[in-house]
Amino acid sequence: MTVKAIREGQKEKLRYYVFEDRDSMGRAAATDVAEQIVKLQKEQSEIRMVFAAAPSQNEVLHHLTQDSRIKWERITAFHMDEYIGLHEEAPQLFQNFLKEKLFEKVPFKQVHLINSTYGEEVERYTRLFQERPIDIVCLGIGENGHIAFNDPPVADFEDEAIIKKVELEEACRQQQVNDGCFTRLEEVPRYALTLTIPALMSAGSMYCVVPGKTKTAAVRETLHGPIGTACPATILRTHDHAFLYLDEDSYGDEKDEK
């Protein structure tokens, strides 16, 4: 069943849709992602996807796993960022989140996890990422406007790296507490590995899902602020095939700006 948006618009190239609740938002996004996968299944033998790990993605991941049209055994998956320094069993590790919500629910062809112990991981993950183009990125936007762990102080629209080590901004770390992933700011790691903005933007399609009142300011800036690293998500407005899915809380009460 098609989910109807209660509002939609476009800012530069970025098309956005507002839904009445999180489930409708996630269901609509999952439907659009699945339809792109089905299209690609007819054109190529393998599909390569990158997934974000955050509570904001719960609904879209759930509905994706329920779509019987998807041939998961033809999809190679990456995840876009990972903490450095947490124990491999820590539930806060993004790979463990994605295993629970997605990777262990459906039979992927391959899943390439970021090794959070660092070491030679930048070189290894770069090599894997560059083997073939990325077809689809499923992502969110942070409270500080980040995409992946590209916070404003480290975001670089011209980054030559595919993946890099970054120091997390305090606002980004506080969001992990706000999301219930950690109980105190002091528990949140200070460093992480992240795919860079050019790596994410290289994807053929980008589907960005952003619910919740804590994201209202970031969404407003993403849609109406100047394109720049002060709000890294503004770069989505330059992508040829990018879509933003919001609920009423994240969209807020603002009027559309023309």
Side-chain angles (χ1 to χ4, degrees), residues 10 14 42 49 51 55 59 62 71 75 77 87 114 120 154 166 169 173-174 204 218 224 226 247 250:
Q10 185 164 337
L14 178 63
K42 298 174 182 177
M49 298 181 64
F51 293 94
E59 291 79 13
H62 169 73
K71 295 180 170 61
I75 298 177
H87 187 273
I114 298 173
E120 302 300 317
V154 299
V166 294
E169 190 177 43
R173 294 172 63 232
Q174 183 61 47
H224 304 306
D247 64 3
S250 61

Short mmCIF file of all heavy atoms in Angstrom, two decimals, residues 10 14 42 49 51 55 59 62 71 75 77 87 114 120 154 166 169 173-174 204 218 224 226 247 250:
data_model
loop_
_atom_site.label_atom_id
_atom_site.label_comp_id
_atom_site.label_asym_id
_atom_site.label_seq_id
_atom_site.Cartn_x
_atom_site.Cartn_y
_atom_site.Cartn_z
N GLN A 10 10.82 20.44 -2.93
CA GLN A 10 12.15 20.24 -3.48
C GLN A 10 12.99 21.47 -3.21
O GLN A 10 12.52 22.59 -3.34
CB GLN A 10 12.07 19.96 -4.98
CG GLN A 10 13.41 19.61 -5.61
CD GLN A 10 13.26 18.97 -6.98
OE1 GLN A 10 12.21 18.40 -7.31
NE2 GLN A 10 14.31 19.03 -7.79
N LEU A 14 17.30 18.24 -4.12
CA LEU A 14 16.83 17.34 -3.06
C LEU A 14 15.31 17.37 -2.94
O LEU A 14 14.72 18.41 -2.65
CB LEU A 14 17.46 17.76 -1.73
CG LEU A 14 17.04 16.95 -0.50
CD1 LEU A 14 17.46 15.48 -0.63
CD2 LEU A 14 17.63 17.57 0.77
N LYS A 42 17.17 -5.82 -12.20
CA LYS A 42 16.94 -6.14 -13.61
C LYS A 42 18.11 -5.71 -14.50
O LYS A 42 18.21 -6.15 -15.64
CB LYS A 42 15.67 -5.44 -14.09
CG LYS A 42 14.41 -5.87 -13.36
CD LYS A 42 13.21 -5.03 -13.79
CE LYS A 42 11.96 -5.41 -13.02
NZ LYS A 42 10.80 -4.55 -13.38
N MET A 49 25.31 -1.46 -1.31
CA MET A 49 24.56 -0.51 -0.49
C MET A 49 25.34 -0.17 0.77
O MET A 49 26.10 -0.98 1.30
CB MET A 49 23.20 -1.10 -0.10
CG MET A 49 22.29 -1.40 -1.26
SD MET A 49 20.67 -2.06 -0.75
CE MET A 49 19.99 -0.65 0.17
N PHE A 51 24.60 1.40 4.71
CA PHE A 51 23.53 1.61 5.69
C PHE A 51 24.02 2.39 6.90
O PHE A 51 25.10 2.13 7.42
CB PHE A 51 22.97 0.27 6.18
CG PHE A 51 22.25 -0.52 5.13
CD1 PHE A 51 22.93 -1.49 4.39
CD2 PHE A 51 20.91 -0.30 4.86
CE1 PHE A 51 22.28 -2.22 3.42
CE2 PHE A 51 20.25 -1.02 3.88
CZ PHE A 51 20.94 -1.99 3.16
N PRO A 55 18.86 4.80 15.88
CA PRO A 55 17.43 4.57 16.13
C PRO A 55 16.53 5.22 15.09
O PRO A 55 15.42 4.73 14.84
CB PRO A 55 17.23 5.19 17.53
CG PRO A 55 18.57 5.07 18.18
CD PRO A 55 19.57 5.29 17.08
N GLU A 59 12.54 2.18 11.60
CA GLU A 59 11.33 1.89 10.81
C GLU A 59 11.67 1.51 9.38
O GLU A 59 11.12 0.55 8.83
CB GLU A 59 10.38 3.10 10.83
CG GLU A 59 9.73 3.36 12.17
CD GLU A 59 10.62 4.08 13.18
OE1 GLU A 59 11.68 4.61 12.77
OE2 GLU A 59 10.27 4.11 14.37
N HIS A 62 13.16 -2.00 9.31
CA HIS A 62 12.12 -3.02 9.55
C HIS A 62 11.32 -3.28 8.27
O HIS A 62 11.12 -4.44 7.87
CB HIS A 62 11.19 -2.58 10.67
CG HIS A 62 9.97 -3.43 10.78
ND1 HIS A 62 9.99 -4.72 11.29
CD2 HIS A 62 8.67 -3.19 10.41
CE1 HIS A 62 8.77 -5.23 11.24
NE2 HIS A 62 7.95 -4.33 10.72
N LYS A 71 16.03 -9.30 -3.61
CA LYS A 71 16.90 -10.48 -3.66
C LYS A 71 18.18 -10.14 -2.88
O LYS A 71 19.18 -9.71 -3.44
CB LYS A 71 17.20 -10.84 -5.11
CG LYS A 71 15.97 -11.30 -5.90
CD LYS A 71 16.34 -11.63 -7.33
CE LYS A 71 15.18 -12.32 -8.06
NZ LYS A 71 13.97 -11.48 -8.14
N ILE A 75 23.00 -8.61 -2.88
CA ILE A 75 23.38 -7.30 -2.32
C ILE A 75 24.60 -7.43 -1.41
O ILE A 75 24.64 -8.27 -0.51
CB ILE A 75 22.21 -6.68 -1.53
CG1 ILE A 75 21.01 -6.44 -2.45
CG2 ILE A 75 22.65 -5.36 -0.87
CD1 ILE A 75 19.78 -5.90 -1.75
N ALA A 77 26.73 -5.32 1.35
CA ALA A 77 26.43 -4.21 2.27
C ALA A 77 27.69 -3.68 2.95
O ALA A 77 28.61 -4.44 3.28
CB ALA A 77 25.44 -4.67 3.33
N HIS A 87 34.35 -2.44 23.11
CA HIS A 87 34.49 -3.89 23.05
C HIS A 87 33.63 -4.44 21.93
O HIS A 87 32.55 -3.90 21.64
CB HIS A 87 34.08 -4.50 24.40
CG HIS A 87 34.34 -5.96 24.50
ND1 HIS A 87 33.42 -6.91 24.08
CD2 HIS A 87 35.41 -6.65 24.96
CE1 HIS A 87 33.91 -8.13 24.28
NE2 HIS A 87 35.13 -8.00 24.82
N ILE A 114 33.12 -2.50 9.41
CA ILE A 114 34.29 -1.72 9.80
C ILE A 114 34.85 -2.30 11.10
O ILE A 114 34.14 -2.47 12.08
CB ILE A 114 33.92 -0.24 10.01
CG1 ILE A 114 33.39 0.36 8.70
CG2 ILE A 114 35.12 0.56 10.52
CD1 ILE A 114 32.83 1.77 8.85
N GLU A 120 44.86 -1.43 10.43
CA GLU A 120 44.99 -1.12 9.00
C GLU A 120 43.63 -0.99 8.33
O GLU A 120 43.50 -1.19 7.12
CB GLU A 120 45.81 -2.22 8.30
CG GLU A 120 47.19 -2.43 8.88
CD GLU A 120 48.04 -1.17 8.77
OE1 GLU A 120 48.00 -0.52 7.71
OE2 GLU A 120 48.73 -0.84 9.75
N VAL A 154 35.02 18.49 10.98
CA VAL A 154 35.85 17.59 10.17
C VAL A 154 35.26 17.32 8.79
O VAL A 154 35.89 16.65 7.98
CB VAL A 154 36.08 16.24 10.90
CG1 VAL A 154 36.81 16.47 12.22
CG2 VAL A 154 34.77 15.49 11.12
N VAL A 166 38.14 10.22 12.80
CA VAL A 166 37.71 11.57 13.18
C VAL A 166 37.52 11.66 14.69
O VAL A 166 37.25 10.66 15.36
CB VAL A 166 36.38 11.95 12.48
CG1 VAL A 166 36.58 12.07 10.98
CG2 VAL A 166 35.27 10.96 12.81
N GLU A 169 32.52 15.61 17.59
CA GLU A 169 32.11 16.85 18.24
C GLU A 169 31.23 16.53 19.45
O GLU A 169 30.49 15.55 19.44
CB GLU A 169 31.34 17.70 17.23
CG GLU A 169 31.06 19.11 17.67
CD GLU A 169 30.36 19.91 16.58
OE1 GLU A 169 29.44 19.38 15.94
OE2 GLU A 169 30.73 21.07 16.39
N ARG A 173 28.32 13.58 20.19
CA ARG A 173 28.38 12.61 21.28
C ARG A 173 27.16 12.72 22.19
O ARG A 173 26.62 11.73 22.66
CB ARG A 173 29.69 12.80 22.06
CG ARG A 173 30.92 12.47 21.22
CD ARG A 173 32.22 12.85 21.90
NE ARG A 173 32.42 12.09 23.11
CZ ARG A 173 32.70 12.62 24.30
NH1 ARG A 173 32.80 13.95 24.43
NH2 ARG A 173 32.86 11.85 25.35
N GLN A 174 26.70 13.96 22.42
CA GLN A 174 25.51 14.15 23.25
C GLN A 174 24.29 13.54 22.59
O GLN A 174 23.39 13.02 23.28
CB GLN A 174 25.29 15.64 23.50
CG GLN A 174 24.09 15.95 24.42
CD GLN A 174 24.25 15.34 25.81
OE1 GLN A 174 25.30 15.46 26.45
NE2 GLN A 174 23.19 14.68 26.29
N GLY A 204 24.79 6.08 -6.41
CA GLY A 204 23.81 6.40 -7.44
C GLY A 204 22.55 7.03 -6.88
O GLY A 204 21.96 7.93 -7.49
N ALA A 218 18.25 20.83 12.51
CA ALA A 218 19.13 20.30 11.47
C ALA A 218 18.41 20.17 10.15
O ALA A 218 18.98 20.45 9.09
CB ALA A 218 19.69 18.95 11.91
N HIS A 224 17.21 24.83 4.07
CA HIS A 224 17.15 26.26 3.80
C HIS A 224 18.44 27.03 4.08
O HIS A 224 18.54 28.20 3.72
CB HIS A 224 16.00 26.89 4.60
CG HIS A 224 14.67 26.24 4.34
ND1 HIS A 224 14.15 26.10 3.08
CD2 HIS A 224 13.78 25.67 5.19
CE1 HIS A 224 12.98 25.48 3.15
NE2 HIS A 224 12.73 25.21 4.42
N PRO A 226 22.67 27.83 3.88
CA PRO A 226 23.65 27.81 2.80
C PRO A 226 24.34 26.44 2.72
O PRO A 226 24.58 25.80 3.74
CB PRO A 226 24.64 28.91 3.19
CG PRO A 226 24.48 29.05 4.68
CD PRO A 226 23.05 28.74 4.98
N ASP A 247 9.17 13.15 9.43
CA ASP A 247 7.86 13.11 10.06
C ASP A 247 7.50 14.55 10.46
O ASP A 247 8.30 15.48 10.29
CB ASP A 247 7.81 12.13 11.23
CG ASP A 247 8.73 12.51 12.38
OD1 ASP A 247 9.40 13.56 12.32
OD2 ASP A 247 8.79 11.74 13.36
N SER A 250 10.08 16.24 12.90
CA SER A 250 11.37 16.72 12.38
C SER A 250 11.20 17.88 11.41
O SER A 250 12.05 18.75 11.32
CB SER A 250 12.13 15.57 11.71
OG SER A 250 11.41 15.03 10.62
#
